[in-house]
Amino acid sequence: MYTEDDLLQLSALQHLLFCERQCALIHIEQAWEENRLTAEGRVLHERVHESGDESRGSVRIVRGLRLRSLRLGLAGMADVVEFRRVDLKSQKTPFPVEYKRGKPKPDDCDLVQLCAQAICLEEMLNCEIPAGALFYGKTRRRLEVEFTEELRLKTAATAERLHKLVEAGVTPPAVYEKKCKACSLFSLCMPENKKSATQYLNSVICDMQSVI
């Protein structure tokens, strides 16, 4: 069990599964640059959060809900949580919905992020959440996600791996892949250079000082 001081950003799970080096640059070295893709994603999230809460029939829709799990050591924000009632006698069950600008990915990074949101809600509200959904802006469709035991175990393992990475405080070396070109941190990461952003900036400063 983690403490409040140990909490890391829930969104870091997706960064870690996409690229361990990217995750370290953002969450250890505090490096960030925005490109068209990240800007579009940010605008999408802002629009969702600013829409406000509402009710549609038996469904209560809450946007921008703060999340926290001491078991996973994570904190973040859910884009949308739909509180659904199956029948008049049952309590409303939370159904988290995460918005993504693109289309479904071949890996599990989006699924893990959504599952972590569900685990946070379960811990906060003392309930069980069987499923949620990912809404992709490019396809304009929802992909329903079942929170299986396998996905829950992978989410917990990813959270533990994230904490170990941040605690170690070491940025992994770069490994160039095709996906690197789409990363907003490409110019900072320099996958062919294999230096951290901090090391690179220090080397630049040293070069400038030697010239002066």
Side-chain angles (χ1 to χ4, degrees):
M1 191 72 70
Y2 295 93
T3 68
E4 293 281 353
D5 294 334
D6 298 325
L7 300 181
L8 300 176
Q9 292 181 33
L10 191 151
S11 59
L13 297 179
Q14 188 188 44
H15 299 148
L16 181 63
L17 291 175
F18 175 75
C19 172
E20 194 170 275
R21 179 174 171 83
Q22 182 203 64
C23 182
L25 287 171
I26 296 172
H27 300 282
I28 295 177
E29 300 195 26
Q30 304 300 308
W32 178 252
E33 282 192 0
E34 193 163 74
N35 62 9
R36 178 181 61 83
L37 300 180
T38 59
E40 289 176 356
R42 174 177 53 77
V43 170
L44 175 63
H45 288 294
E46 288 174 353
R47 286 176 179 172
V48 173
H49 295 170
E50 292 170 359
S51 298
D53 301 344
E54 62 177 304
S55 294
R56 296 180 186 176
S58 62
V59 180
R60 175 66 176 166
I61 302 173
V62 179
R63 296 182 172 90
L65 182 63
R66 295 283 180 182
L67 304 174
R68 185 203 68 171
S69 170
L70 295 181
R71 183 165 71 85
L72 296 180
L74 300 173
M77 181 180 292
D79 285 335
V80 172
V81 179
E82 298 176 353
F83 290 86
R84 302 176 171 185
R85 178 175 284 133
V86 177
D87 54 56
L88 293 176
K89 295 181 179 180
S90 66
Q91 293 184 338
K92 288 188 175 182
T93 300
F95 185 89
V97 182
E98 174 70 9
Y99 280 64
K100 299 295 181 183
R101 59 155 295 281
K103 59 184 180 180
K105 301 177 179 64
D107 56 38
D108 291 339
C109 61
D110 292 345
L111 306 182
V112 165
Q113 183 180 3
L114 182 66
C115 185
Q117 293 181 9
I119 294 174
C120 288
L121 287 166
E122 289 177 333
E123 185 176 317
M124 293 166 59
L125 303 175
N126 190 27
C127 65
E128 293 184 5
I129 303 175
L134 293 161
F135 176 85
Y136 288 96
K138 193 166 185 178
T139 61
R140 304 300 298 176
R141 293 188 178 186
R142 282 189 178 189
L143 174 66
E144 188 153 334
V145 178
E146 180 184 358
F147 301 130
T148 63
E149 185 63 22
E150 180 183 3
L151 180 56
R152 289 171 180 274
L153 289 173
K154 182 168 185 177
T155 301
T158 304
E160 183 179 2
R161 183 177 151 205
L162 172 65
H163 277 274
K164 288 181 178 179
L165 175 69
V166 173
E167 288 169 8
V170 178
T171 300
V175 178
Y176 181 79
E177 297 182 47
K178 184 178 180 180
K179 63 185 179 182
C180 292
K181 286 292 186 180
C183 179
S184 67
L185 300 184
F186 183 82
S187 61
L188 288 175
C189 175
M190 296 169 297
E192 297 169 353
N193 196 322
K194 298 186 179 181
K195 288 183 179 180
S196 71
T198 301
Q199 289 173 325
Y200 172 71
L201 291 174
N202 287 339
S203 67
V204 171
I205 292 172
C206 289
D207 290 342
M208 292 175 62
Q209 289 175 339
S210 64
V211 172
I212 295 173

